[in-house]
Amino acid sequence: MNILLAGGAGYIGSHTAVELLSAGHSVVIVDDYSNSSPEAINRIEEITGKKVTAYTADVKDKAAMRKVFGENKLDCVIHFAGLKAVGESVQQPVRYYRNNIDTTLTLLECMQEADVKCIVFSSSATVYGEENKIPYVETMKRGSCSNPYGWTKVMMEEILEDATVADKDLSVVLLRYFNPIGAHDSGMLGEDPQGIPNNLMPYIAQVAVGRRDKLTVFGGDYPTPDGTCRRDYIHVMDLANGHLKAVEYAAQHKGTEVFNLGTGTPYSVLEIIKAFENASGVNIKYEIGPRRAGDLPEFWANANKAANVLGWKTVRTLEDMCKDTWKWQSMNPQGYIK
């Protein structure tokens, strides 16, 4: 299949591109590089030995996206194009609603015009909100989210579901990620946030490599075993494999299906710090700070549906996640900047 990766130069998109190309598919990447680097495209090609068609464009830009759809015979779209920082979304809600929802509407309109009937959406565990009990199961209702980022994911899922009601030939797969970390085991691809990292693992890695002085842990008084938030961390290459399985499933399917992609095992912030120290041999300086707006104490996945329907399971350990992150960061101390 020829697959459009909207936001495909980003962290998850770039690793998914490698997975898709390695499985024999071709990819077209569109990215505005607002939180990614064109160098990721070169690295994807170097790892796979295959050429990538890439466009520099904002996925909200309908004229630009019409050009992409017009110049490429596409079989499926994977929608990664979104702003994704919980804390930032609390501070900049309008920007998040405008960007995330507009990209989704533009893609659906262009798909309709080009008669593309298959889309895999990069959703999030945040759609389960504050009311649902853990572990989260796909049959649960979407909850009341604690931040605008989560609400954009809820709204985009609803938009995509409504589209399949209106178009019986449309296939939508909603992938609810938990917490992706790690990097490609070559050390050539990894998470390279622009500016101060909003997520835990890249911040730890930047402290380890000397780019940051110390890590601030947001809250040490949560009702968890060690007082810090617990999350279900998943290796980005396991997540990339989930997209490969989802695309191949979506091509044979109509309507909307939802899958959790997680390990089912939560780890606390302090456990992640310790695991990274063990994998890297570097001591991570940290301090406990106040809680961050929008954070829940803990959550993790029930991923049985993905195992049963997609034949997907995680195979990499927390040690692998930390080891591969350290390899990436130590080989690329300034990220993709050479």
Side-chain angles (χ1 to χ4, degrees), residues 11-293:
Y11 175 44
I12 300 168
S14 59
H15 289 79
T16 299
V18 168
E19 189 76 0
L20 293 169
L21 289 164
S22 299
H25 299 292
S26 55
V27 301
V28 176
I29 290 176
V30 178
D31 208 297
D32 65 358
Y33 305 111
S34 58
N35 195 31
S36 58
S37 169
E39 176 60 22
I41 308 294
N42 299 330
R43 304 284 182 94
I44 292 165
E45 292 180 336
E46 195 172 338
I47 290 168
T48 62
K50 296 182 178 179
K51 182 67 179 168
V52 172
T53 302
Y55 293 81
T56 302
D58 186 332
V59 177
K60 298 192 300 295
D61 183 342
K62 192 168 183 183
M65 294 309 298
R66 275 182 168 148
K67 181 173 186 286
V68 173
F69 277 81
E71 292 178 357
N72 300 275
K73 175 59 180 163
L74 298 169
D75 301 300
C76 188
V77 173
I78 306 182
H79 180 11
F80 296 109
L83 301 171
K84 62 176 186 175
V86 169
E88 186 179 66
S89 77
V90 175
Q91 298 162 353
Q92 302 176 33
V94 174
R95 177 175 172 237
Y96 269 66
Y97 287 119
R98 168 66 74 188
N99 184 83
N100 291 5
I101 293 170
D102 272 10
T103 55
T104 305
L105 294 172
T106 298
L107 284 170
L108 281 170
E109 288 167 350
C110 290
M111 285 173 61
Q112 187 174 34
E113 291 172 6
D115 200 34
V116 178
K117 297 297 186 182
C118 172
I119 182 168
V120 175
F121 175 56
S122 169
S123 192
S124 168
T126 58
V127 302
Y128 290 108
E130 300 172 291
E131 300 90 358
N132 285 309
K133 294 181 179 179
I134 41 183
Y136 295 151
V137 183
E138 293 90 346
T139 51
M140 291 174 172
K141 288 186 177 180
R142 288 182 286 251
S144 296
C145 294
S146 58
N147 55 79
Y149 162 74
W151 278 117
T152 68
K153 293 294 188 183
V154 168
M155 293 173 183
M156 289 185 283
E157 283 198 4
E158 187 66 48
I159 289 166
L160 288 160
E161 285 185 2
D162 290 347
T164 63
V165 172
D167 183 351
K168 301 302 181 186
D169 291 325
L170 188 63
S171 174
V172 168
V173 175
L174 308 175
L175 296 181
R176 292 175 180 166
Y177 309 163
F178 282 68
N179 286 68
I181 59 175
H184 191 267
D185 61 9
S186 66
M188 294 175 62
L189 279 181
E191 188 166 10
D192 181 27
Q194 296 189 5
I196 299 171
N198 287 298
N199 296 325
L200 175 64
M201 187 57 92
Y203 208 114
I204 290 174
Q206 290 188 14
V207 170
V209 84
R211 283 176 64 182
R212 308 281 166 194
D213 178 47
K214 63 186 175 185
L215 169 73
T216 298
V217 177
F218 296 115
D221 60 349
Y222 284 98
T224 59
D226 65 17
T228 64
C229 291
R230 297 205 301 165
R231 297 287 184 266
D232 185 339
Y233 293 93
I234 175 175
H235 196 294
V236 68
M237 288 308 299
D238 282 335
L239 186 62
N241 181 254
H243 289 79
L244 169 64
K245 300 281 192 183
V247 162
E248 293 175 345
Y249 172 81
Q252 311 298 323
H253 170 265
K254 307 292 182 194
T256 303
E257 281 291 345
V258 185
F259 297 99
N260 286 337
L261 297 183
T263 66
T265 303
Y267 291 99
S268 73
V269 175
L270 295 184
E271 286 175 320
I272 294 294
I273 293 171
K274 190 65 180 175
F276 189 89
E277 288 179 334
N278 291 339
S280 66
V282 178
N283 183 58
I284 302 300
K285 185 179 178 183
Y286 71 90
E287 64 180 15
I288 305 293
R291 293 185 181 191
R292 181 174 59 180

